[in-house]
Amino acid sequence: MTNKTFTELYREAKEAPTPLQALVAKAVAATGRTEMMVYRWAMGLSKPCPSDRKALAEAFDADPDTLF
């Protein structure tokens, strides 16, 4: 049981990262690259180097060849 008001719960939910923000933050943490670079990968404007692909595959539990 929580000891927070509905307003406090609302504010926390409003300030929580969106799923997209969380995904980008996870990719940034895994690779050490900037958010802008992660967005470029996501939009297909560039591809990560092999070491970044490996780090992303590990972070997202995915096959690196499938990701990119």
Side-chain angles (χ1 to χ4, degrees), residues 23-53:
L23 181 132
V24 170
K26 187 174 181 177
V28 168
T31 62
R33 304 296 182 186
T34 64
E35 286 185 8
M36 183 58 67
M37 183 56 71
V38 172
Y39 285 117
R40 290 179 58 81
W41 296 336
M43 292 184 291
L45 298 175
S46 64
K47 289 188 177 183
C49 67
S51 62
D52 287 341
R53 282 190 295 238

PDB file of all heavy atoms in Angstrom, residues 23-53:
ATOM      1  N   LEU A  23      14.021   3.112 -23.970  1.00  0.00           N
ATOM      2  CA  LEU A  23      14.777   2.330 -24.942  1.00  0.00           C
ATOM      3  C   LEU A  23      16.041   3.068 -25.373  1.00  0.00           C
ATOM      4  O   LEU A  23      17.127   2.488 -25.421  1.00  0.00           O
ATOM      5  CB  LEU A  23      13.907   2.029 -26.159  1.00  0.00           C
ATOM      6  CG  LEU A  23      14.576   1.206 -27.239  1.00  0.00           C
ATOM      7  CD1 LEU A  23      13.679   0.065 -27.669  1.00  0.00           C
ATOM      8  CD2 LEU A  23      14.948   2.057 -28.424  1.00  0.00           C
ATOM      9  N   VAL A  24      15.903   4.348 -25.673  1.00  0.00           N
ATOM     10  CA  VAL A  24      17.056   5.150 -26.088  1.00  0.00           C
ATOM     11  C   VAL A  24      18.073   5.238 -24.957  1.00  0.00           C
ATOM     12  O   VAL A  24      19.281   5.069 -25.184  1.00  0.00           O
ATOM     13  CB  VAL A  24      16.609   6.559 -26.554  1.00  0.00           C
ATOM     14  CG1 VAL A  24      17.798   7.479 -26.762  1.00  0.00           C
ATOM     15  CG2 VAL A  24      15.788   6.445 -27.833  1.00  0.00           C
ATOM     16  N   ALA A  25      17.617   5.458 -23.742  1.00  0.00           N
ATOM     17  CA  ALA A  25      18.527   5.529 -22.596  1.00  0.00           C
ATOM     18  C   ALA A  25      19.268   4.212 -22.403  1.00  0.00           C
ATOM     19  O   ALA A  25      20.466   4.202 -22.087  1.00  0.00           O
ATOM     20  CB  ALA A  25      17.753   5.892 -21.332  1.00  0.00           C
ATOM     21  N   LYS A  26      18.587   3.101 -22.617  1.00  0.00           N
ATOM     22  CA  LYS A  26      19.225   1.785 -22.476  1.00  0.00           C
ATOM     23  C   LYS A  26      20.304   1.603 -23.551  1.00  0.00           C
ATOM     24  O   LYS A  26      21.390   1.091 -23.272  1.00  0.00           O
ATOM     25  CB  LYS A  26      18.158   0.690 -22.583  1.00  0.00           C
ATOM     26  CG  LYS A  26      18.657  -0.696 -22.296  1.00  0.00           C
ATOM     27  CD  LYS A  26      17.491  -1.678 -22.278  1.00  0.00           C
ATOM     28  CE  LYS A  26      17.942  -3.082 -21.959  1.00  0.00           C
ATOM     29  NZ  LYS A  26      16.806  -4.024 -21.882  1.00  0.00           N
ATOM     30  N   ALA A  27      20.018   2.040 -24.770  1.00  0.00           N
ATOM     31  CA  ALA A  27      20.995   1.949 -25.854  1.00  0.00           C
ATOM     32  C   ALA A  27      22.200   2.849 -25.587  1.00  0.00           C
ATOM     33  O   ALA A  27      23.347   2.455 -25.820  1.00  0.00           O
ATOM     34  CB  ALA A  27      20.348   2.307 -27.187  1.00  0.00           C
ATOM     35  N   VAL A  28      21.947   4.046 -25.080  1.00  0.00           N
ATOM     36  CA  VAL A  28      23.033   4.964 -24.736  1.00  0.00           C
ATOM     37  C   VAL A  28      23.909   4.353 -23.642  1.00  0.00           C
ATOM     38  O   VAL A  28      25.140   4.375 -23.725  1.00  0.00           O
ATOM     39  CB  VAL A  28      22.475   6.338 -24.299  1.00  0.00           C
ATOM     40  CG1 VAL A  28      23.552   7.198 -23.656  1.00  0.00           C
ATOM     41  CG2 VAL A  28      21.859   7.060 -25.489  1.00  0.00           C
ATOM     42  N   ALA A  29      23.274   3.796 -22.618  1.00  0.00           N
ATOM     43  CA  ALA A  29      24.029   3.186 -21.516  1.00  0.00           C
ATOM     44  C   ALA A  29      24.849   1.991 -21.991  1.00  0.00           C
ATOM     45  O   ALA A  29      25.973   1.784 -21.534  1.00  0.00           O
ATOM     46  CB  ALA A  29      23.068   2.765 -20.405  1.00  0.00           C
ATOM     47  N   ALA A  30      24.295   1.221 -22.914  1.00  0.00           N
ATOM     48  CA  ALA A  30      24.982   0.021 -23.395  1.00  0.00           C
ATOM     49  C   ALA A  30      26.188   0.349 -24.276  1.00  0.00           C
ATOM     50  O   ALA A  30      27.178  -0.378 -24.272  1.00  0.00           O
ATOM     51  CB  ALA A  30      24.014  -0.875 -24.163  1.00  0.00           C
ATOM     52  N   THR A  31      26.089   1.440 -25.031  1.00  0.00           N
ATOM     53  CA  THR A  31      27.128   1.743 -26.023  1.00  0.00           C
ATOM     54  C   THR A  31      28.016   2.930 -25.659  1.00  0.00           C
ATOM     55  O   THR A  31      29.102   3.064 -26.211  1.00  0.00           O
ATOM     56  CB  THR A  31      26.496   2.044 -27.386  1.00  0.00           C
ATOM     57  OG1 THR A  31      25.665   3.206 -27.270  1.00  0.00           O
ATOM     58  CG2 THR A  31      25.697   0.860 -27.895  1.00  0.00           C
ATOM     59  N   GLY A  32      27.518   3.814 -24.807  1.00  0.00           N
ATOM     60  CA  GLY A  32      28.270   5.032 -24.507  1.00  0.00           C
ATOM     61  C   GLY A  32      28.154   6.082 -25.597  1.00  0.00           C
ATOM     62  O   GLY A  32      28.851   7.090 -25.562  1.00  0.00           O
ATOM     63  N   ARG A  33      27.277   5.853 -26.553  1.00  0.00           N
ATOM     64  CA  ARG A  33      27.067   6.818 -27.638  1.00  0.00           C
ATOM     65  C   ARG A  33      26.029   7.853 -27.220  1.00  0.00           C
ATOM     66  O   ARG A  33      25.354   7.706 -26.215  1.00  0.00           O
ATOM     67  CB  ARG A  33      26.612   6.108 -28.909  1.00  0.00           C
ATOM     68  CG  ARG A  33      27.539   5.026 -29.385  1.00  0.00           C
ATOM     69  CD  ARG A  33      28.879   5.586 -29.783  1.00  0.00           C
ATOM     70  NE  ARG A  33      29.732   4.510 -30.280  1.00  0.00           N
ATOM     71  CZ  ARG A  33      30.984   4.665 -30.584  1.00  0.00           C
ATOM     72  NH1 ARG A  33      31.559   5.845 -30.455  1.00  0.00           N
ATOM     73  NH2 ARG A  33      31.695   3.647 -31.015  1.00  0.00           N
ATOM     74  N   THR A  34      25.881   8.879 -28.021  1.00  0.00           N
ATOM     75  CA  THR A  34      24.926   9.934 -27.713  1.00  0.00           C
ATOM     76  C   THR A  34      23.510   9.523 -28.098  1.00  0.00           C
ATOM     77  O   THR A  34      23.307   8.612 -28.916  1.00  0.00           O
ATOM     78  CB  THR A  34      25.266  11.226 -28.479  1.00  0.00           C
ATOM     79  OG1 THR A  34      25.126  10.967 -29.888  1.00  0.00           O
ATOM     80  CG2 THR A  34      26.664  11.716 -28.157  1.00  0.00           C
ATOM     81  N   GLU A  35      22.536  10.231 -27.539  1.00  0.00           N
ATOM     82  CA  GLU A  35      21.140  10.004 -27.929  1.00  0.00           C
ATOM     83  C   GLU A  35      20.959  10.256 -29.415  1.00  0.00           C
ATOM     84  O   GLU A  35      20.237   9.527 -30.094  1.00  0.00           O
ATOM     85  CB  GLU A  35      20.202  10.915 -27.138  1.00  0.00           C
ATOM     86  CG  GLU A  35      20.004  10.515 -25.710  1.00  0.00           C
ATOM     87  CD  GLU A  35      18.974  11.382 -24.999  1.00  0.00           C
ATOM     88  OE1 GLU A  35      18.292  12.204 -25.654  1.00  0.00           O
ATOM     89  OE2 GLU A  35      18.855  11.223 -23.771  1.00  0.00           O
ATOM     90  N   MET A  36      21.615  11.282 -29.919  1.00  0.00           N
ATOM     91  CA  MET A  36      21.487  11.613 -31.343  1.00  0.00           C
ATOM     92  C   MET A  36      21.962  10.447 -32.205  1.00  0.00           C
ATOM     93  O   MET A  36      21.323  10.116 -33.207  1.00  0.00           O
ATOM     94  CB  MET A  36      22.282  12.875 -31.678  1.00  0.00           C
ATOM     95  CG  MET A  36      22.123  13.308 -33.118  1.00  0.00           C
ATOM     96  SD  MET A  36      20.418  13.637 -33.631  1.00  0.00           S
ATOM     97  CE  MET A  36      20.049  15.065 -32.662  1.00  0.00           C
ATOM     98  N   MET A  37      23.044   9.796 -31.809  1.00  0.00           N
ATOM     99  CA  MET A  37      23.531   8.658 -32.584  1.00  0.00           C
ATOM    100  C   MET A  37      22.533   7.500 -32.533  1.00  0.00           C
ATOM    101  O   MET A  37      22.270   6.849 -33.548  1.00  0.00           O
ATOM    102  CB  MET A  37      24.895   8.205 -32.073  1.00  0.00           C
ATOM    103  CG  MET A  37      25.485   7.061 -32.882  1.00  0.00           C
ATOM    104  SD  MET A  37      25.644   7.396 -34.658  1.00  0.00           S
ATOM    105  CE  MET A  37      26.962   8.575 -34.667  1.00  0.00           C
ATOM    106  N   VAL A  38      21.969   7.257 -31.371  1.00  0.00           N
ATOM    107  CA  VAL A  38      20.972   6.187 -31.240  1.00  0.00           C
ATOM    108  C   VAL A  38      19.770   6.485 -32.140  1.00  0.00           C
ATOM    109  O   VAL A  38      19.265   5.591 -32.819  1.00  0.00           O
ATOM    110  CB  VAL A  38      20.550   6.005 -29.772  1.00  0.00           C
ATOM    111  CG1 VAL A  38      19.381   5.048 -29.650  1.00  0.00           C
ATOM    112  CG2 VAL A  38      21.735   5.522 -28.936  1.00  0.00           C
ATOM    113  N   TYR A  39      19.315   7.733 -32.176  1.00  0.00           N
ATOM    114  CA  TYR A  39      18.204   8.098 -33.057  1.00  0.00           C
ATOM    115  C   TYR A  39      18.585   7.897 -34.526  1.00  0.00           C
ATOM    116  O   TYR A  39      17.762   7.463 -35.335  1.00  0.00           O
ATOM    117  CB  TYR A  39      17.756   9.538 -32.814  1.00  0.00           C
ATOM    118  CG  TYR A  39      16.963   9.713 -31.544  1.00  0.00           C
ATOM    119  CD1 TYR A  39      17.434  10.504 -30.505  1.00  0.00           C
ATOM    120  CD2 TYR A  39      15.732   9.085 -31.378  1.00  0.00           C
ATOM    121  CE1 TYR A  39      16.705  10.665 -29.333  1.00  0.00           C
ATOM    122  CE2 TYR A  39      14.995   9.235 -30.216  1.00  0.00           C
ATOM    123  CZ  TYR A  39      15.493  10.029 -29.202  1.00  0.00           C
ATOM    124  OH  TYR A  39      14.755  10.174 -28.053  1.00  0.00           O
ATOM    125  N   ARG A  40      19.828   8.193 -34.877  1.00  0.00           N
ATOM    126  CA  ARG A  40      20.286   7.985 -36.259  1.00  0.00           C
ATOM    127  C   ARG A  40      20.239   6.505 -36.627  1.00  0.00           C
ATOM    128  O   ARG A  40      19.833   6.148 -37.730  1.00  0.00           O
ATOM    129  CB  ARG A  40      21.687   8.548 -36.464  1.00  0.00           C
ATOM    130  CG  ARG A  40      21.733  10.076 -36.431  1.00  0.00           C
ATOM    131  CD  ARG A  40      23.152  10.604 -36.623  1.00  0.00           C
ATOM    132  NE  ARG A  40      23.746  10.165 -37.876  1.00  0.00           N
ATOM    133  CZ  ARG A  40      23.527  10.714 -39.077  1.00  0.00           C
ATOM    134  NH1 ARG A  40      22.723  11.755 -39.176  1.00  0.00           N
ATOM    135  NH2 ARG A  40      24.114  10.252 -40.152  1.00  0.00           N
ATOM    136  N   TRP A  41      20.639   5.644 -35.685  1.00  0.00           N
ATOM    137  CA  TRP A  41      20.548   4.199 -35.932  1.00  0.00           C
ATOM    138  C   TRP A  41      19.097   3.793 -36.125  1.00  0.00           C
ATOM    139  O   TRP A  41      18.777   3.033 -37.029  1.00  0.00           O
ATOM    140  CB  TRP A  41      21.136   3.404 -34.771  1.00  0.00           C
ATOM    141  CG  TRP A  41      22.595   3.587 -34.521  1.00  0.00           C
ATOM    142  CD1 TRP A  41      23.548   3.989 -35.416  1.00  0.00           C
ATOM    143  CD2 TRP A  41      23.277   3.376 -33.297  1.00  0.00           C
ATOM    144  NE1 TRP A  41      24.779   4.041 -34.817  1.00  0.00           N
ATOM    145  CE2 TRP A  41      24.643   3.661 -33.505  1.00  0.00           C
ATOM    146  CE3 TRP A  41      22.892   2.975 -32.025  1.00  0.00           C
ATOM    147  CZ2 TRP A  41      25.599   3.542 -32.506  1.00  0.00           C
ATOM    148  CZ3 TRP A  41      23.856   2.863 -31.032  1.00  0.00           C
ATOM    149  CH2 TRP A  41      25.186   3.145 -31.266  1.00  0.00           C
ATOM    150  N   ALA A  42      18.235   4.291 -35.254  1.00  0.00           N
ATOM    151  CA  ALA A  42      16.819   3.917 -35.296  1.00  0.00           C
ATOM    152  C   ALA A  42      16.158   4.354 -36.600  1.00  0.00           C
ATOM    153  O   ALA A  42      15.279   3.662 -37.112  1.00  0.00           O
ATOM    154  CB  ALA A  42      16.084   4.515 -34.098  1.00  0.00           C
ATOM    155  N   MET A  43      16.577   5.499 -37.133  1.00  0.00           N
ATOM    156  CA  MET A  43      15.992   6.003 -38.375  1.00  0.00           C
ATOM    157  C   MET A  43      16.669   5.423 -39.613  1.00  0.00           C
ATOM    158  O   MET A  43      16.289   5.733 -40.738  1.00  0.00           O
ATOM    159  CB  MET A  43      16.067   7.529 -38.400  1.00  0.00           C
ATOM    160  CG  MET A  43      15.160   8.175 -37.372  1.00  0.00           C
ATOM    161  SD  MET A  43      15.142   9.986 -37.463  1.00  0.00           S
ATOM    162  CE  MET A  43      16.784  10.392 -36.903  1.00  0.00           C
ATOM    163  N   GLY A  44      17.696   4.601 -39.408  1.00  0.00           N
ATOM    164  CA  GLY A  44      18.393   3.998 -40.533  1.00  0.00           C
ATOM    165  C   GLY A  44      19.354   4.927 -41.238  1.00  0.00           C
ATOM    166  O   GLY A  44      19.786   4.644 -42.357  1.00  0.00           O
ATOM    167  N   LEU A  45      19.715   6.039 -40.597  1.00  0.00           N
ATOM    168  CA  LEU A  45      20.634   6.991 -41.217  1.00  0.00           C
ATOM    169  C   LEU A  45      22.084   6.555 -41.105  1.00  0.00           C
ATOM    170  O   LEU A  45      22.936   7.010 -41.860  1.00  0.00           O
ATOM    171  CB  LEU A  45      20.455   8.379 -40.591  1.00  0.00           C
ATOM    172  CG  LEU A  45      19.069   8.992 -40.783  1.00  0.00           C
ATOM    173  CD1 LEU A  45      18.964  10.308 -40.023  1.00  0.00           C
ATOM    174  CD2 LEU A  45      18.768   9.186 -42.250  1.00  0.00           C
ATOM    175  N   SER A  46      22.370   5.698 -40.140  1.00  0.00           N
ATOM    176  CA  SER A  46      23.699   5.119 -39.999  1.00  0.00           C
ATOM    177  C   SER A  46      23.561   3.797 -39.267  1.00  0.00           C
ATOM    178  O   SER A  46      22.496   3.475 -38.739  1.00  0.00           O
ATOM    179  CB  SER A  46      24.649   6.066 -39.252  1.00  0.00           C
ATOM    180  OG  SER A  46      24.209   6.262 -37.933  1.00  0.00           O
ATOM    181  N   LYS A  47      24.646   3.030 -39.266  1.00  0.00           N
ATOM    182  CA  LYS A  47      24.649   1.743 -38.575  1.00  0.00           C
ATOM    183  C   LYS A  47      25.747   1.751 -37.529  1.00  0.00           C
ATOM    184  O   LYS A  47      26.824   2.313 -37.749  1.00  0.00           O
ATOM    185  CB  LYS A  47      24.892   0.600 -39.563  1.00  0.00           C
ATOM    186  CG  LYS A  47      23.725   0.338 -40.471  1.00  0.00           C
ATOM    187  CD  LYS A  47      23.951  -0.914 -41.280  1.00  0.00           C
ATOM    188  CE  LYS A  47      22.730  -1.198 -42.144  1.00  0.00           C
ATOM    189  NZ  LYS A  47      22.880  -2.442 -42.891  1.00  0.00           N
ATOM    190  N   PRO A  48      25.493   1.112 -36.398  1.00  0.00           N
ATOM    191  CA  PRO A  48      26.523   1.052 -35.366  1.00  0.00           C
ATOM    192  C   PRO A  48      27.681   0.152 -35.788  1.00  0.00           C
ATOM    193  O   PRO A  48      27.510  -0.765 -36.608  1.00  0.00           O
ATOM    194  CB  PRO A  48      25.787   0.475 -34.155  1.00  0.00           C
ATOM    195  CG  PRO A  48      24.598  -0.209 -34.699  1.00  0.00           C
ATOM    196  CD  PRO A  48      24.258   0.459 -35.981  1.00  0.00           C
ATOM    197  N   CYS A  49      28.837   0.426 -35.226  1.00  0.00           N
ATOM    198  CA  CYS A  49      30.011  -0.408 -35.489  1.00  0.00           C
ATOM    199  C   CYS A  49      29.785  -1.792 -34.856  1.00  0.00           C
ATOM    200  O   CYS A  49      28.878  -1.960 -34.029  1.00  0.00           O
ATOM    201  CB  CYS A  49      31.265   0.254 -34.942  1.00  0.00           C
ATOM    202  SG  CYS A  49      31.319   0.353 -33.144  1.00  0.00           S
ATOM    203  N   PRO A  50      30.582  -2.779 -35.230  1.00  0.00           N
ATOM    204  CA  PRO A  50      30.385  -4.131 -34.693  1.00  0.00           C
ATOM    205  C   PRO A  50      30.379  -4.214 -33.167  1.00  0.00           C
ATOM    206  O   PRO A  50      29.560  -4.942 -32.597  1.00  0.00           O
ATOM    207  CB  PRO A  50      31.553  -4.922 -35.288  1.00  0.00           C
ATOM    208  CG  PRO A  50      31.837  -4.222 -36.572  1.00  0.00           C
ATOM    209  CD  PRO A  50      31.607  -2.762 -36.275  1.00  0.00           C
ATOM    210  N   SER A  51      31.222  -3.454 -32.502  1.00  0.00           N
ATOM    211  CA  SER A  51      31.241  -3.524 -31.031  1.00  0.00           C
ATOM    212  C   SER A  51      29.959  -2.929 -30.433  1.00  0.00           C
ATOM    213  O   SER A  51      29.452  -3.438 -29.427  1.00  0.00           O
ATOM    214  CB  SER A  51      32.474  -2.831 -30.461  1.00  0.00           C
ATOM    215  OG  SER A  51      32.478  -1.459 -30.782  1.00  0.00           O
ATOM    216  N   ASP A  52      29.432  -1.888 -31.052  1.00  0.00           N
ATOM    217  CA  ASP A  52      28.169  -1.319 -30.579  1.00  0.00           C
ATOM    218  C   ASP A  52      27.003  -2.258 -30.875  1.00  0.00           C
ATOM    219  O   ASP A  52      26.088  -2.396 -30.066  1.00  0.00           O
ATOM    220  CB  ASP A  52      27.907   0.056 -31.210  1.00  0.00           C
ATOM    221  CG  ASP A  52      28.803   1.134 -30.637  1.00  0.00           C
ATOM    222  OD1 ASP A  52      29.360   0.934 -29.540  1.00  0.00           O
ATOM    223  OD2 ASP A  52      28.951   2.182 -31.291  1.00  0.00           O
ATOM    224  N   ARG A  53      27.042  -2.914 -32.030  1.00  0.00           N
ATOM    225  CA  ARG A  53      25.986  -3.896 -32.342  1.00  0.00           C
ATOM    226  C   ARG A  53      25.987  -5.019 -31.316  1.00  0.00           C
ATOM    227  O   ARG A  53      24.924  -5.460 -30.869  1.00  0.00           O
ATOM    228  CB  ARG A  53      26.175  -4.463 -33.746  1.00  0.00           C
ATOM    229  CG  ARG A  53      25.716  -3.514 -34.828  1.00  0.00           C
ATOM    230  CD  ARG A  53      25.684  -4.195 -36.168  1.00  0.00           C
ATOM    231  NE  ARG A  53      27.037  -4.569 -36.557  1.00  0.00           N
ATOM    232  CZ  ARG A  53      27.632  -4.164 -37.666  1.00  0.00           C
ATOM    233  NH1 ARG A  53      26.996  -3.398 -38.507  1.00  0.00           N
ATOM    234  NH2 ARG A  53      28.853  -4.534 -37.940  1.00  0.00           N
TER     235      ARG A  53
END
